[in-house]
Amino acid sequence: MFHSVEVAQQLKKAKLSWLIHPLFLFLVFGVFLLVIYFHAQVVDGQKKIISRLEKQIENEGKDKKFLITKLQEIHERAASH
């Protein structure tokens, strides 16, 4: 705590006392929270996109299996006639 008082006094001497002004600290903290919020939203969106792409890949695999099965059935019917 003593160190923080020393830092505040040094800032006042260096004409940088605005750095410890509550409004400045509030604005810096607010910007920091906004950056964290937007980052969390981007990550959440990426997770949703990944989930949808995984589901799409799964469905495409099922479609290919279905089409291969149907083609084999048609080929077997043609070969038996």
PDB file of all heavy atoms in Angstrom, residues 31-59:
ATOM      1  N   VAL A  31     -13.459  -0.158 -21.116  1.00  0.00           N
ATOM      2  CA  VAL A  31     -12.943  -0.616 -22.407  1.00  0.00           C
ATOM      3  C   VAL A  31     -12.421  -2.043 -22.281  1.00  0.00           C
ATOM      4  O   VAL A  31     -12.657  -2.891 -23.157  1.00  0.00           O
ATOM      5  CB  VAL A  31     -11.842   0.333 -22.924  1.00  0.00           C
ATOM      6  CG1 VAL A  31     -11.110  -0.262 -24.108  1.00  0.00           C
ATOM      7  CG2 VAL A  31     -12.433   1.688 -23.274  1.00  0.00           C
ATOM      8  N   PHE A  32     -11.739  -2.322 -21.203  1.00  0.00           N
ATOM      9  CA  PHE A  32     -11.225  -3.667 -20.963  1.00  0.00           C
ATOM     10  C   PHE A  32     -12.366  -4.688 -20.901  1.00  0.00           C
ATOM     11  O   PHE A  32     -12.289  -5.764 -21.505  1.00  0.00           O
ATOM     12  CB  PHE A  32     -10.416  -3.671 -19.663  1.00  0.00           C
ATOM     13  CG  PHE A  32      -9.759  -4.979 -19.350  1.00  0.00           C
ATOM     14  CD1 PHE A  32      -8.727  -5.467 -20.136  1.00  0.00           C
ATOM     15  CD2 PHE A  32     -10.177  -5.721 -18.255  1.00  0.00           C
ATOM     16  CE1 PHE A  32      -8.123  -6.676 -19.844  1.00  0.00           C
ATOM     17  CE2 PHE A  32      -9.577  -6.930 -17.957  1.00  0.00           C
ATOM     18  CZ  PHE A  32      -8.550  -7.415 -18.754  1.00  0.00           C
ATOM     19  N   LEU A  33     -13.439  -4.347 -20.205  1.00  0.00           N
ATOM     20  CA  LEU A  33     -14.590  -5.253 -20.114  1.00  0.00           C
ATOM     21  C   LEU A  33     -15.255  -5.441 -21.478  1.00  0.00           C
ATOM     22  O   LEU A  33     -15.697  -6.547 -21.802  1.00  0.00           O
ATOM     23  CB  LEU A  33     -15.604  -4.731 -19.098  1.00  0.00           C
ATOM     24  CG  LEU A  33     -15.214  -4.884 -17.634  1.00  0.00           C
ATOM     25  CD1 LEU A  33     -16.275  -4.264 -16.730  1.00  0.00           C
ATOM     26  CD2 LEU A  33     -15.018  -6.344 -17.278  1.00  0.00           C
ATOM     27  N   LEU A  34     -15.340  -4.376 -22.265  1.00  0.00           N
ATOM     28  CA  LEU A  34     -15.917  -4.501 -23.604  1.00  0.00           C
ATOM     29  C   LEU A  34     -15.089  -5.435 -24.480  1.00  0.00           C
ATOM     30  O   LEU A  34     -15.641  -6.255 -25.225  1.00  0.00           O
ATOM     31  CB  LEU A  34     -16.031  -3.133 -24.269  1.00  0.00           C
ATOM     32  CG  LEU A  34     -17.203  -2.277 -23.824  1.00  0.00           C
ATOM     33  CD1 LEU A  34     -17.107  -0.886 -24.444  1.00  0.00           C
ATOM     34  CD2 LEU A  34     -18.516  -2.932 -24.197  1.00  0.00           C
ATOM     35  N   VAL A  35     -13.783  -5.304 -24.394  1.00  0.00           N
ATOM     36  CA  VAL A  35     -12.908  -6.183 -25.179  1.00  0.00           C
ATOM     37  C   VAL A  35     -13.118  -7.636 -24.758  1.00  0.00           C
ATOM     38  O   VAL A  35     -13.231  -8.531 -25.607  1.00  0.00           O
ATOM     39  CB  VAL A  35     -11.429  -5.768 -25.018  1.00  0.00           C
ATOM     40  CG1 VAL A  35     -10.486  -6.819 -25.581  1.00  0.00           C
ATOM     41  CG2 VAL A  35     -11.188  -4.416 -25.678  1.00  0.00           C
ATOM     42  N   ILE A  36     -13.203  -7.877 -23.474  1.00  0.00           N
ATOM     43  CA  ILE A  36     -13.436  -9.246 -22.981  1.00  0.00           C
ATOM     44  C   ILE A  36     -14.792  -9.760 -23.457  1.00  0.00           C
ATOM     45  O   ILE A  36     -14.915 -10.906 -23.904  1.00  0.00           O
ATOM     46  CB  ILE A  36     -13.333  -9.294 -21.443  1.00  0.00           C
ATOM     47  CG1 ILE A  36     -11.888  -9.083 -21.008  1.00  0.00           C
ATOM     48  CG2 ILE A  36     -13.863 -10.625 -20.906  1.00  0.00           C
ATOM     49  CD1 ILE A  36     -11.714  -8.946 -19.519  1.00  0.00           C
ATOM     50  N   TYR A  37     -15.815  -8.913 -23.395  1.00  0.00           N
ATOM     51  CA  TYR A  37     -17.159  -9.316 -23.811  1.00  0.00           C
ATOM     52  C   TYR A  37     -17.184  -9.679 -25.296  1.00  0.00           C
ATOM     53  O   TYR A  37     -17.710 -10.720 -25.675  1.00  0.00           O
ATOM     54  CB  TYR A  37     -18.155  -8.191 -23.528  1.00  0.00           C
ATOM     55  CG  TYR A  37     -19.527  -8.458 -24.079  1.00  0.00           C
ATOM     56  CD1 TYR A  37     -20.390  -9.355 -23.454  1.00  0.00           C
ATOM     57  CD2 TYR A  37     -19.961  -7.833 -25.239  1.00  0.00           C
ATOM     58  CE1 TYR A  37     -21.642  -9.618 -23.962  1.00  0.00           C
ATOM     59  CE2 TYR A  37     -21.211  -8.083 -25.763  1.00  0.00           C
ATOM     60  CZ  TYR A  37     -22.054  -8.975 -25.117  1.00  0.00           C
ATOM     61  OH  TYR A  37     -23.289  -9.237 -25.641  1.00  0.00           O
ATOM     62  N   PHE A  38     -16.617  -8.814 -26.133  1.00  0.00           N
ATOM     63  CA  PHE A  38     -16.614  -9.094 -27.564  1.00  0.00           C
ATOM     64  C   PHE A  38     -15.797 -10.342 -27.887  1.00  0.00           C
ATOM     65  O   PHE A  38     -16.171 -11.131 -28.761  1.00  0.00           O
ATOM     66  CB  PHE A  38     -16.108  -7.893 -28.363  1.00  0.00           C
ATOM     67  CG  PHE A  38     -17.123  -6.799 -28.476  1.00  0.00           C
ATOM     68  CD1 PHE A  38     -16.855  -5.535 -27.998  1.00  0.00           C
ATOM     69  CD2 PHE A  38     -18.358  -7.036 -29.061  1.00  0.00           C
ATOM     70  CE1 PHE A  38     -17.792  -4.528 -28.092  1.00  0.00           C
ATOM     71  CE2 PHE A  38     -19.301  -6.046 -29.172  1.00  0.00           C
ATOM     72  CZ  PHE A  38     -19.024  -4.779 -28.680  1.00  0.00           C
ATOM     73  N   HIS A  39     -14.703 -10.528 -27.186  1.00  0.00           N
ATOM     74  CA  HIS A  39     -13.897 -11.737 -27.402  1.00  0.00           C
ATOM     75  C   HIS A  39     -14.707 -12.988 -27.046  1.00  0.00           C
ATOM     76  O   HIS A  39     -14.682 -13.986 -27.783  1.00  0.00           O
ATOM     77  CB  HIS A  39     -12.612 -11.676 -26.583  1.00  0.00           C
ATOM     78  CG  HIS A  39     -11.738 -12.862 -26.742  1.00  0.00           C
ATOM     79  ND1 HIS A  39     -11.061 -13.145 -27.910  1.00  0.00           N
ATOM     80  CD2 HIS A  39     -11.446 -13.882 -25.896  1.00  0.00           C
ATOM     81  CE1 HIS A  39     -10.398 -14.278 -27.765  1.00  0.00           C
ATOM     82  NE2 HIS A  39     -10.615 -14.739 -26.556  1.00  0.00           N
ATOM     83  N   ALA A  40     -15.437 -12.927 -25.929  1.00  0.00           N
ATOM     84  CA  ALA A  40     -16.257 -14.072 -25.516  1.00  0.00           C
ATOM     85  C   ALA A  40     -17.345 -14.342 -26.550  1.00  0.00           C
ATOM     86  O   ALA A  40     -17.647 -15.508 -26.851  1.00  0.00           O
ATOM     87  CB  ALA A  40     -16.871 -13.805 -24.146  1.00  0.00           C
ATOM     88  N   GLN A  41     -17.938 -13.291 -27.119  1.00  0.00           N
ATOM     89  CA  GLN A  41     -18.972 -13.475 -28.133  1.00  0.00           C
ATOM     90  C   GLN A  41     -18.398 -14.104 -29.400  1.00  0.00           C
ATOM     91  O   GLN A  41     -19.036 -14.959 -30.015  1.00  0.00           O
ATOM     92  CB  GLN A  41     -19.636 -12.129 -28.453  1.00  0.00           C
ATOM     93  CG  GLN A  41     -20.455 -11.568 -27.319  1.00  0.00           C
ATOM     94  CD  GLN A  41     -21.580 -12.492 -26.901  1.00  0.00           C
ATOM     95  OE1 GLN A  41     -22.312 -13.011 -27.731  1.00  0.00           O
ATOM     96  NE2 GLN A  41     -21.695 -12.725 -25.613  1.00  0.00           N
ATOM     97  N   VAL A  42     -17.223 -13.681 -29.786  1.00  0.00           N
ATOM     98  CA  VAL A  42     -16.578 -14.251 -30.977  1.00  0.00           C
ATOM     99  C   VAL A  42     -16.288 -15.730 -30.757  1.00  0.00           C
ATOM    100  O   VAL A  42     -16.555 -16.572 -31.628  1.00  0.00           O
ATOM    101  CB  VAL A  42     -15.290 -13.477 -31.321  1.00  0.00           C
ATOM    102  CG1 VAL A  42     -14.454 -14.227 -32.344  1.00  0.00           C
ATOM    103  CG2 VAL A  42     -15.631 -12.083 -31.831  1.00  0.00           C
ATOM    104  N   VAL A  43     -15.761 -16.069 -29.601  1.00  0.00           N
ATOM    105  CA  VAL A  43     -15.452 -17.475 -29.291  1.00  0.00           C
ATOM    106  C   VAL A  43     -16.730 -18.300 -29.283  1.00  0.00           C
ATOM    107  O   VAL A  43     -16.769 -19.414 -29.821  1.00  0.00           O
ATOM    108  CB  VAL A  43     -14.700 -17.575 -27.947  1.00  0.00           C
ATOM    109  CG1 VAL A  43     -14.605 -19.015 -27.488  1.00  0.00           C
ATOM    110  CG2 VAL A  43     -13.319 -16.965 -28.075  1.00  0.00           C
ATOM    111  N   ASP A  44     -17.806 -17.757 -28.704  1.00  0.00           N
ATOM    112  CA  ASP A  44     -19.080 -18.467 -28.664  1.00  0.00           C
ATOM    113  C   ASP A  44     -19.611 -18.687 -30.080  1.00  0.00           C
ATOM    114  O   ASP A  44     -20.093 -19.774 -30.407  1.00  0.00           O
ATOM    115  CB  ASP A  44     -20.094 -17.677 -27.834  1.00  0.00           C
ATOM    116  CG  ASP A  44     -21.381 -18.435 -27.613  1.00  0.00           C
ATOM    117  OD1 ASP A  44     -21.317 -19.639 -27.295  1.00  0.00           O
ATOM    118  OD2 ASP A  44     -22.468 -17.814 -27.769  1.00  0.00           O
ATOM    119  N   GLY A  45     -19.503 -17.672 -30.915  1.00  0.00           N
ATOM    120  CA  GLY A  45     -19.940 -17.807 -32.299  1.00  0.00           C
ATOM    121  C   GLY A  45     -19.134 -18.847 -33.055  1.00  0.00           C
ATOM    122  O   GLY A  45     -19.680 -19.630 -33.837  1.00  0.00           O
ATOM    123  N   GLN A  46     -17.834 -18.874 -32.814  1.00  0.00           N
ATOM    124  CA  GLN A  46     -16.983 -19.862 -33.479  1.00  0.00           C
ATOM    125  C   GLN A  46     -17.340 -21.272 -33.034  1.00  0.00           C
ATOM    126  O   GLN A  46     -17.341 -22.207 -33.850  1.00  0.00           O
ATOM    127  CB  GLN A  46     -15.516 -19.566 -33.195  1.00  0.00           C
ATOM    128  CG  GLN A  46     -15.010 -18.324 -33.902  1.00  0.00           C
ATOM    129  CD  GLN A  46     -13.597 -17.960 -33.493  1.00  0.00           C
ATOM    130  OE1 GLN A  46     -13.093 -18.419 -32.478  1.00  0.00           O
ATOM    131  NE2 GLN A  46     -12.958 -17.099 -34.280  1.00  0.00           N
ATOM    132  N   LYS A  47     -17.670 -21.440 -31.757  1.00  0.00           N
ATOM    133  CA  LYS A  47     -18.076 -22.763 -31.264  1.00  0.00           C
ATOM    134  C   LYS A  47     -19.362 -23.218 -31.949  1.00  0.00           C
ATOM    135  O   LYS A  47     -19.503 -24.393 -32.309  1.00  0.00           O
ATOM    136  CB  LYS A  47     -18.268 -22.737 -29.750  1.00  0.00           C
ATOM    137  CG  LYS A  47     -16.980 -22.683 -28.976  1.00  0.00           C
ATOM    138  CD  LYS A  47     -17.238 -22.652 -27.478  1.00  0.00           C
ATOM    139  CE  LYS A  47     -15.957 -22.517 -26.692  1.00  0.00           C
ATOM    140  NZ  LYS A  47     -16.198 -22.434 -25.244  1.00  0.00           N
ATOM    141  N   LYS A  48     -20.312 -22.293 -32.131  1.00  0.00           N
ATOM    142  CA  LYS A  48     -21.569 -22.645 -32.801  1.00  0.00           C
ATOM    143  C   LYS A  48     -21.326 -23.023 -34.256  1.00  0.00           C
ATOM    144  O   LYS A  48     -21.907 -23.983 -34.758  1.00  0.00           O
ATOM    145  CB  LYS A  48     -22.555 -21.472 -32.726  1.00  0.00           C
ATOM    146  CG  LYS A  48     -23.133 -21.265 -31.346  1.00  0.00           C
ATOM    147  CD  LYS A  48     -24.090 -20.087 -31.312  1.00  0.00           C
ATOM    148  CE  LYS A  48     -24.614 -19.863 -29.906  1.00  0.00           C
ATOM    149  NZ  LYS A  48     -25.497 -18.690 -29.824  1.00  0.00           N
ATOM    150  N   ILE A  49     -20.460 -22.271 -34.930  1.00  0.00           N
ATOM    151  CA  ILE A  49     -20.150 -22.578 -36.328  1.00  0.00           C
ATOM    152  C   ILE A  49     -19.484 -23.941 -36.439  1.00  0.00           C
ATOM    153  O   ILE A  49     -19.822 -24.742 -37.318  1.00  0.00           O
ATOM    154  CB  ILE A  49     -19.265 -21.471 -36.939  1.00  0.00           C
ATOM    155  CG1 ILE A  49     -20.084 -20.203 -37.137  1.00  0.00           C
ATOM    156  CG2 ILE A  49     -18.657 -21.927 -38.258  1.00  0.00           C
ATOM    157  CD1 ILE A  49     -19.266 -18.999 -37.563  1.00  0.00           C
ATOM    158  N   ILE A  50     -18.546 -24.229 -35.542  1.00  0.00           N
ATOM    159  CA  ILE A  50     -17.866 -25.530 -35.554  1.00  0.00           C
ATOM    160  C   ILE A  50     -18.864 -26.657 -35.337  1.00  0.00           C
ATOM    161  O   ILE A  50     -18.829 -27.686 -36.026  1.00  0.00           O
ATOM    162  CB  ILE A  50     -16.746 -25.557 -34.494  1.00  0.00           C
ATOM    163  CG1 ILE A  50     -15.591 -24.657 -34.936  1.00  0.00           C
ATOM    164  CG2 ILE A  50     -16.251 -26.983 -34.254  1.00  0.00           C
ATOM    165  CD1 ILE A  50     -14.545 -24.427 -33.866  1.00  0.00           C
ATOM    166  N   SER A  51     -19.788 -26.462 -34.401  1.00  0.00           N
ATOM    167  CA  SER A  51     -20.807 -27.484 -34.138  1.00  0.00           C
ATOM    168  C   SER A  51     -21.673 -27.728 -35.376  1.00  0.00           C
ATOM    169  O   SER A  51     -21.958 -28.877 -35.730  1.00  0.00           O
ATOM    170  CB  SER A  51     -21.672 -27.040 -32.966  1.00  0.00           C
ATOM    171  OG  SER A  51     -22.744 -27.919 -32.775  1.00  0.00           O
ATOM    172  N   ARG A  52     -22.071 -26.654 -36.039  1.00  0.00           N
ATOM    173  CA  ARG A  52     -22.904 -26.806 -37.243  1.00  0.00           C
ATOM    174  C   ARG A  52     -22.132 -27.468 -38.373  1.00  0.00           C
ATOM    175  O   ARG A  52     -22.692 -28.293 -39.117  1.00  0.00           O
ATOM    176  CB  ARG A  52     -23.428 -25.445 -37.684  1.00  0.00           C
ATOM    177  CG  ARG A  52     -24.477 -24.895 -36.743  1.00  0.00           C
ATOM    178  CD  ARG A  52     -24.974 -23.546 -37.167  1.00  0.00           C
ATOM    179  NE  ARG A  52     -25.933 -23.045 -36.185  1.00  0.00           N
ATOM    180  CZ  ARG A  52     -26.421 -21.837 -36.199  1.00  0.00           C
ATOM    181  NH1 ARG A  52     -26.050 -20.981 -37.147  1.00  0.00           N
ATOM    182  NH2 ARG A  52     -27.275 -21.454 -35.270  1.00  0.00           N
ATOM    183  N   LEU A  53     -20.859 -27.125 -38.522  1.00  0.00           N
ATOM    184  CA  LEU A  53     -20.052 -27.753 -39.569  1.00  0.00           C
ATOM    185  C   LEU A  53     -19.843 -29.238 -39.288  1.00  0.00           C
ATOM    186  O   LEU A  53     -19.864 -30.062 -40.211  1.00  0.00           O
ATOM    187  CB  LEU A  53     -18.710 -27.031 -39.707  1.00  0.00           C
ATOM    188  CG  LEU A  53     -18.773 -25.637 -40.324  1.00  0.00           C
ATOM    189  CD1 LEU A  53     -17.405 -24.960 -40.225  1.00  0.00           C
ATOM    190  CD2 LEU A  53     -19.235 -25.690 -41.757  1.00  0.00           C
ATOM    191  N   GLU A  54     -19.652 -29.593 -38.018  1.00  0.00           N
ATOM    192  CA  GLU A  54     -19.505 -31.010 -37.670  1.00  0.00           C
ATOM    193  C   GLU A  54     -20.781 -31.772 -37.998  1.00  0.00           C
ATOM    194  O   GLU A  54     -20.742 -32.891 -38.518  1.00  0.00           O
ATOM    195  CB  GLU A  54     -19.160 -31.156 -36.187  1.00  0.00           C
ATOM    196  CG  GLU A  54     -17.737 -30.761 -35.855  1.00  0.00           C
ATOM    197  CD  GLU A  54     -17.463 -30.749 -34.360  1.00  0.00           C
ATOM    198  OE1 GLU A  54     -18.425 -30.735 -33.556  1.00  0.00           O
ATOM    199  OE2 GLU A  54     -16.271 -30.745 -33.999  1.00  0.00           O
ATOM    200  N   LYS A  55     -21.940 -31.166 -37.711  1.00  0.00           N
ATOM    201  CA  LYS A  55     -23.226 -31.802 -38.018  1.00  0.00           C
ATOM    202  C   LYS A  55     -23.395 -31.943 -39.531  1.00  0.00           C
ATOM    203  O   LYS A  55     -23.883 -32.965 -40.012  1.00  0.00           O
ATOM    204  CB  LYS A  55     -24.360 -30.960 -37.421  1.00  0.00           C
ATOM    205  CG  LYS A  55     -25.716 -31.575 -37.573  1.00  0.00           C
ATOM    206  CD  LYS A  55     -25.854 -32.817 -36.734  1.00  0.00           C
ATOM    207  CE  LYS A  55     -27.275 -33.341 -36.834  1.00  0.00           C
ATOM    208  NZ  LYS A  55     -27.423 -34.645 -36.221  1.00  0.00           N
ATOM    209  N   GLN A  56     -22.973 -30.917 -40.278  1.00  0.00           N
ATOM    210  CA  GLN A  56     -23.064 -30.978 -41.734  1.00  0.00           C
ATOM    211  C   GLN A  56     -22.186 -32.096 -42.290  1.00  0.00           C
ATOM    212  O   GLN A  56     -22.606 -32.835 -43.181  1.00  0.00           O
ATOM    213  CB  GLN A  56     -22.648 -29.638 -42.342  1.00  0.00           C
ATOM    214  CG  GLN A  56     -22.777 -29.580 -43.840  1.00  0.00           C
ATOM    215  CD  GLN A  56     -22.403 -28.226 -44.412  1.00  0.00           C
ATOM    216  OE1 GLN A  56     -22.172 -27.274 -43.677  1.00  0.00           O
ATOM    217  NE2 GLN A  56     -22.334 -28.141 -45.725  1.00  0.00           N
ATOM    218  N   ILE A  57     -20.982 -32.241 -41.765  1.00  0.00           N
ATOM    219  CA  ILE A  57     -20.084 -33.321 -42.206  1.00  0.00           C
ATOM    220  C   ILE A  57     -20.711 -34.682 -41.907  1.00  0.00           C
ATOM    221  O   ILE A  57     -20.669 -35.603 -42.735  1.00  0.00           O
ATOM    222  CB  ILE A  57     -18.703 -33.177 -41.550  1.00  0.00           C
ATOM    223  CG1 ILE A  57     -17.970 -31.963 -42.119  1.00  0.00           C
ATOM    224  CG2 ILE A  57     -17.871 -34.444 -41.732  1.00  0.00           C
ATOM    225  CD1 ILE A  57     -16.703 -31.600 -41.366  1.00  0.00           C
ATOM    226  N   GLU A  58     -21.307 -34.802 -40.727  1.00  0.00           N
ATOM    227  CA  GLU A  58     -21.962 -36.054 -40.340  1.00  0.00           C
ATOM    228  C   GLU A  58     -23.105 -36.378 -41.307  1.00  0.00           C
ATOM    229  O   GLU A  58     -23.246 -37.517 -41.770  1.00  0.00           O
ATOM    230  CB  GLU A  58     -22.487 -35.931 -38.909  1.00  0.00           C
ATOM    231  CG  GLU A  58     -23.196 -37.151 -38.392  1.00  0.00           C
ATOM    232  CD  GLU A  58     -23.762 -36.937 -36.996  1.00  0.00           C
ATOM    233  OE1 GLU A  58     -23.192 -36.134 -36.238  1.00  0.00           O
ATOM    234  OE2 GLU A  58     -24.781 -37.572 -36.680  1.00  0.00           O
ATOM    235  N   ASN A  59     -23.913 -35.367 -41.620  1.00  0.00           N
ATOM    236  CA  ASN A  59     -25.043 -35.578 -42.540  1.00  0.00           C
ATOM    237  C   ASN A  59     -24.567 -35.918 -43.949  1.00  0.00           C
ATOM    238  O   ASN A  59     -25.177 -36.753 -44.630  1.00  0.00           O
ATOM    239  CB  ASN A  59     -25.943 -34.337 -42.572  1.00  0.00           C
ATOM    240  CG  ASN A  59     -26.735 -34.173 -41.298  1.00  0.00           C
ATOM    241  OD1 ASN A  59     -26.958 -35.128 -40.567  1.00  0.00           O
ATOM    242  ND2 ASN A  59     -27.151 -32.954 -41.021  1.00  0.00           N
TER     243      ASN A  59
END
